[in-house]
Every structure is written in C-alpha cells, then in structure tokens.
C-alpha cells in the first residue's frame, strides 16, 4: 500500500512538471528548477530530461532549456542562501523538517563546504541530492555572494545541460526504445517508486527519531 502511494506521488509530480513546462515553456523550466533549488522535493531528474525531450521534438533548443534551468537554480538557491545567511543554522534545523531537510543533510553539505571552501558550491551542483542543500550552509557560512551566484550558475548549467541532453537522446531514439520501455514500464515504475519511497521514508524516520530524542 505504501509503495503504491509513493508511486502515485511520483506520477503526480511528473505530471505536474510536464503540465507546467508544456503550458509555460521556458518560464516553466525556470520556475520548476527554482522550486527544486529552494530545497523543495521536485526532482531535476524529471524537469530537465522532459525539457530535453521537447528539444528532440523541435519545440526548444538544448542551450535554451539548459540556461533556463540554470537561471531557475540560481533564483531558488538565492532564496535558500539568504535563509541560511539571516536565519542561521538553528532556524534551518527548526523549520527545515517541513520540507524534509534534516540535520544530517546540513552536516553533509557542511562537510563539503569545509573541505572544498567556496568551490564546494560549484562541485556540489554536479552531484545529486547534495546539490539541493548546499545553498543553506553557504548562506550560514556567509560565502561571498558574487562567487556563490557564479558557481551556482556554472555548475547548474552543466547539470541541466547533461540531464536535458539525456532527454534529447531518448527523444531522438524514442521509436526504437519505446517497445522496450513499454515492456519494462512496470519495472521502471517500481524502481522510481522505491527510490522516492526510500528518500521520503528515510527523511521522515530521521525527523521522527530526532523528535523522540528531544
């Protein structure tokens, strides 16, 4: 029952992303990636590949969707940067749980920041999961804002281009690949549901465990 619910959530998010990008075009990509970069669980792994698929259909260009995604990342990241800058770690730890951000997420991002300094902002943008949370410790540590914006844009541009390129290639070979996707769609759906389910369960369990200790 739980797996079915998670599968429905993933399907709903995917449908919402597709609807928004189809309706709004490039601003839809900007908005979706801004939401994702504001630490709200809206995976870029859905947003950008679908945008790349639309490139294969001649609706968008690869660089246009990549730049749109990077701009969205900057906008959402600036919001979370200033939350960390002005609110500090106590504020983030207190209210972050409402968007599934917990202490271990900040600890992981903090470790990257301390190890790589300001360039951690750039490096983290190329990594799943941690890329979403790095803006908060960057704000808490008061990383130079100009560097933060530049590193965020460049790193996000590479990430968005790569995901969009995957969507483009899938779109170009859709007629060849679709029979295989159709044959294994249940397996693919279960894998996606399991991954999303683990993420949500792991974070909710972590939050509940911390509340019990308080």
């Amino acid at each position: 029952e739980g797996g079915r619910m998670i599968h429905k959530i993933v399907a709903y998010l995917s449908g919402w992303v597709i609807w928004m990008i189809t309706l709004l075009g490039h601003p839809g990509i900007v908005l979706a990636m801004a939401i994702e970069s504001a630490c709200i669980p809206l995976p870029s792994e859905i947003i950008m590949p679908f945008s790349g698929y639309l490139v294969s259909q001649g609706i968008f260009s690869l660089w246009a969707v990549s730049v749109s995604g990077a701009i969205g990342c900057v906008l959402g990241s600036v919001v979370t940067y200033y939350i960390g800058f002005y609110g500090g770690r106590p504020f983030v730890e207190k209210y972050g749980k409402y968007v599934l951000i917990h202490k271990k997420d900040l600890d992981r991002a903090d470790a990257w920041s301390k190890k790589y300094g300001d360039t951690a902002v750039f490096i983290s943008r190329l990594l799943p999961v941690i890329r979403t949370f790095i803006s908060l410790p960057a704000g808490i540590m008061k990383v130079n804002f100009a560097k933060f914006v530049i590193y965020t844009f460049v790193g996000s541009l590479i990430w968005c281009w790569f995901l969009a390129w995957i969507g483009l290639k899938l779109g170009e070979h859709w007629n060849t690949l679709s029979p295989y996707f159709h044959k294994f769609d249940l397996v693919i759906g279960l894998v996606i549901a399991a991954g999303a389910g683990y993420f949500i369960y792991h974070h909710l369990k972590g939050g509940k465990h911390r509340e019990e200790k308080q």
Side-chain angles (χ1 to χ4, degrees), residues 3 17 23 29 31 42-43 54 59 63 72 75 77 81 100 110 113 116 122 124 138 153 166 174 178 208 214:
V17 166
L23 179 67
I29 299 173
L31 177 59
L42 189 64
L54 294 180
I59 298 174
W63 279 108
L75 294 177
S77 296
Y81 173 90
L100 303 183
D110 276 344
S113 296
Y116 297 105
F122 170 75
S124 68
F153 179 81
I166 291 175
W174 185 252
S178 59
K208 182 178 179 181
Q214 293 177 352

Side-chain angles (χ1 to χ4, degrees), residues 8-140:
K8 288 181 178 179
I9 292 173
V10 173
Y12 173 79
L13 287 175
S14 301
W16 186 79
V17 166
I18 291 171
W19 171 81
M20 183 166 62
I21 295 175
T22 302
L23 179 67
L24 300 178
H26 292 105
I29 299 173
V30 172
L31 177 59
M33 290 303 292
I35 292 172
E36 185 260 357
S37 295
C39 299
I40 298 173
L42 189 64
S44 58
E45 291 83 355
I46 295 174
I47 301 165
M48 295 313 303
F50 176 70
S51 301
Y53 170 76
L54 294 180
V55 171
S56 73
Q57 303 303 302
I59 298 174
F60 298 140
S61 74
L62 182 59
W63 279 108
V65 300
S66 302
V67 171
S68 295
I71 291 173
C73 287
V74 170
L75 294 177
S77 296
V78 166
V79 172
T80 51
Y81 173 90
Y82 276 116
I83 289 175
F85 189 93
Y86 289 110
R89 183 158 183 143
F91 177 86
V92 175
E93 289 183 355
K94 182 176 181 180
Y95 296 104
K97 61 184 178 181
Y98 296 110
V99 287
L100 303 183
I101 300 173
H102 296 301
K103 184 177 181 296
K104 65 187 174 87
D105 299 313
L106 293 175
D107 289 341
R108 190 181 300 121
D110 276 344
W112 274 85
S113 296
K114 291 175 182 177
K115 184 175 182 179
Y116 297 105
D118 292 353
T119 55
V121 176
F122 170 75
I123 297 171
S124 68
R125 295 297 170 181
L126 307 176
L127 301 173
V129 181
I130 195 172
R131 65 181 305 280
T132 306
F133 303 112
I134 193 65
S135 301
L136 289 169
I140 292 170

